Amino acid sequence: MMLLLSLLSAGVSIVLAQPPNIIVILADDLGYNDVSWHNDAVIMPHIAQLAAEGVTLEQHYSQPLCSPTRGALLTGRYPIHNGLNNGAIQPLTPYGLDTSEITLPEELRRANY
């Protein structure tokens, strides 16, 4: 462990043979107490195992509607800054996420995912 910390502090980059898997679960209307690790009455053993073995983000902002939430997740920007702050985008609506936005999948591709 000390060797790893020493290498990192010296600016040596460590390249993994294969990057770790990333699983993002986005659920509309899921509350804090709607998952088994916060509420014993909720039974979800497989999701709980994923959470226990990975990273669980529990301090974040979310939006009350789907399109602003998804846009924020894809871009890492608040909906007011990516143009999706006006609510849900309905089918056949002639606008959406600006194609000039850099998205999470693009950044993951650059990181060889």
Side-chain angles (χ1 to χ4, degrees):
M1 184 65 156
M2 288 302 292
L3 175 63
L4 175 62
L5 292 175
S6 298
L7 290 173
L8 291 175
S9 65
V12 176
S13 63
I14 298 173
V15 178
L16 299 175
Q18 184 176 2
N21 293 323
I22 298 173
I23 299 173
V24 176
I25 299 174
L26 177 64
D28 288 332
D29 301 321
L30 183 71
Y32 179 85
N33 217 26
D34 294 336
V35 291
S36 60
W37 53 94
H38 291 297
N39 183 349
D40 293 335
V42 176
I43 300 170
M44 50 189 334
H46 301 294
I47 301 294
Q49 181 180 356
L50 285 172
E53 294 175 2
V55 176
T56 304
L57 304 177
E58 297 193 308
Q59 295 182 355
H60 59 278
Y61 294 102
S62 65
Q63 307 303 314
L65 295 170
C66 56
S67 297
T69 297
R70 285 167 174 75
L73 176 66
L74 284 171
T75 64
R77 300 176 68 202
Y78 289 111
I80 190 75
H81 298 293
N82 65 28
L84 297 178
N85 59 312
N86 293 325
I89 298 174
Q90 300 300 317
L92 304 177
T93 302
Y95 71 91
L97 186 62
D98 190 323
T99 57
S100 68
E101 290 282 355
I102 298 171
T103 63
L104 179 61
E106 292 169 326
E107 290 298 315
L108 289 173
R109 187 178 314 120
R110 284 183 27 176
N112 295 322
Y113 270 89

